[in-house]
Amino acid sequence: FWDFLILFFCLPVVIFNEITKKRLLGDVSCRIVPFMEVSSLGVTTFSLCALGIDRFHAATSPQASARHIEQCQSIIAKLAVIWVGSMTLSVPEILLWQLAQDTSPVSGTVTEYCTMKPSSNLPESVYSLVLTYQNARMWWYFGCYFCLPILFTVSCQLVTRRISGTEKTECRGTKHSQCESHLNCTIIGLTIIYGLCTTPENVCNIVVAYMSPDMSKQTLDLLNLINQFFLFFKSSVTPVLLLCLCRPLGQAFMDCCCCCCEGCSPTTTSSQGSANSKLKTEMSSSIFFDKPRESPPPLLALGTPC
């Protein structure tokens, strides 16, 4: 959902600015777009960490094959913590950016762009905090939004594989082992995409931090555009990758799309199709969750022994 927000709001603003050299929504977009982009990095980072912890608990559970399905309230609480924490850590971005104008010496046209410069109207204590954040922004990006999810995911995967290797002799269900392996591959795929898409941004941040006095404004704008392109690419690829790797989620998504396209018709064919799709979703969901479905009780014999 946050990737959708990035593509729906930030992408049109960036494209409009590159075409017209005018900032859509003015100073508001200069503050909201960086805030949403950094919040997107935080949501992805902490989500990968939460998924790594979940896989670690699944591997170290004493009864992993019969582990209970997590309650919906618990999942919503974790998502709320991830979202609120990510947006809280991104609040300095709102105070750091502001709109600026520049007149071209050749054509004389006025171009608008966003500059990283705290407003002098801020209170002194807040101004000093924003300056501290600006000075440490590069290493904060690199440590929290790049190293943390990758190291966390790699560590959890290594520990999980070590524990799974020591438990090969135990009797564990084939479906459960396939489910665990499939979920681990999904998390690894998401981490690889995230690492590949955030590497250019961190490299550009380091280059700009140490070589910005010797670089022209056009070069800095180009590097910033490259960073945003990879962010939009990540936001586009991540949902598709998640739907492809996580088959039950992808099947549920396709069933919802087919249901919306066909509409609700009272014919027998549609009712049979919906029943079949519901049965497929229920069967596929047993592969996704850790708790296997219980077999129905055997039918009681009726009649006399004769």
Side-chain angles (χ1 to χ4, degrees):
F1 182 71
W2 198 274
D3 291 332
F4 171 76
L5 292 180
I6 292 293
L7 296 176
F8 180 77
F9 181 78
C10 298
L11 182 59
V13 173
V14 174
I15 294 177
F16 183 84
N17 185 32
E18 291 299 321
I19 295 177
T20 63
K21 301 303 178 182
K22 298 291 183 180
R23 197 69 185 183
L24 190 65
L25 301 179
D27 187 66
V28 176
S29 64
C30 281
R31 301 177 185 273
I32 297 299
V33 170
F35 170 76
M36 295 185 62
E37 291 177 350
V38 177
S39 297
S40 173
L41 298 178
V43 168
T44 307
T45 295
F46 300 133
S47 297
L48 290 176
C49 294
L51 291 174
I53 295 175
D54 179 74
R55 293 297 89 210
F56 176 76
H57 286 168
T60 56
S61 177
Q63 296 179 350
S65 59
R67 194 166 62 93
H68 294 288
I69 300 174
E70 190 172 3
Q71 296 295 328
C72 182
Q73 293 81 359
S74 176
I75 298 176
I76 293 177
K78 291 180 180 179
L79 291 177
V81 171
I82 291 173
W83 278 45
V84 173
S86 302
M87 290 187 290
T88 302
L89 293 176
S90 306
V91 169
E93 296 288 333
I94 300 178
L95 306 176
L96 184 61
W97 295 86
Q98 61 178 336
L99 184 66
Q101 295 181 348
D102 187 18
T103 304
S104 176
V106 179
S107 60
T109 58
V110 178
T111 59
E112 297 179 347
Y113 62 95
C114 297
T115 180
M116 192 184 300
K117 182 180 179 182
S119 177
S120 58
N121 298 327
L122 295 174
E124 185 177 355
S125 57
V126 178
Y127 185 80
S128 60
L129 289 176
V130 175
L131 281 181
T132 304
Y133 173 80
Q134 181 181 0
N135 295 330
R137 186 174 183 269
M138 178 193 66
W139 296 113
W140 170 253
Y141 257 66
F142 181 74
C144 182
Y145 297 138
F146 181 76
C147 295
L148 179 62
I150 293 178
L151 294 178
F152 210 94
T153 303
V154 171
S155 302
C156 290
Q157 290 298 321
L158 291 177
V159 174
T160 302
R161 290 180 181 275
R162 180 65 178 267
I163 296 176
S164 300
T166 58
E167 295 179 352
K168 283 183 178 179
T169 56
E170 297 182 4
C171 180
R172 303 183 67 176
T174 305
K175 278 188 176 182
H176 178 74
S177 301
Q178 293 177 354
C179 172
E180 293 294 324
S181 176
H182 200 72
L183 292 177
N184 290 333
C185 292
T186 302
I187 298 175
I188 292 174
L190 294 176
T191 305
I192 291 175
I193 290 296
Y194 178 75
L196 292 177
C197 293
T198 54
T199 298
E201 182 175 5
N202 287 276
V203 173
C204 291
N205 288 338
I206 295 175
V207 171
V208 170
Y210 290 100
M211 300 178 60
S212 57
D214 302 330
M215 301 174 65
S216 62
K217 183 180 178 301
Q218 290 76 12
T219 305
L220 295 176
D221 294 340
L222 178 61
L223 293 178
N224 186 31
L225 186 62
I226 292 175
N227 295 339
Q228 290 182 328
F229 167 77
F230 277 101
L231 179 63
F232 297 144
F233 180 76
K234 178 191 75 69
S235 299
S236 304
V237 172
T238 299
V240 177
L241 179 68
L242 186 60
L243 292 177
C244 293
L245 292 181
C246 188
R247 288 174 292 181
L249 182 61
Q251 182 64 38
F253 180 78
M254 294 302 298
D255 292 341
C256 291
C257 292
C258 294
C259 180
C260 293
C261 294
E262 293 176 358
C264 299
S265 57
T267 58
T268 307
T269 306
S270 61
S271 62
Q272 291 179 354
S274 61
N276 293 333
S277 63
K278 182 179 180 181
L279 179 61
K280 290 181 181 179
T281 305
E282 291 180 353
M283 294 176 62
S284 61
S285 63
S286 63
I287 304 176
F288 179 71
F289 293 114
D290 296 320
K291 181 180 178 181
R293 293 186 177 270
E294 299 178 356
S295 58
L299 297 177
L300 298 177
L302 300 178
T304 61
C306 298

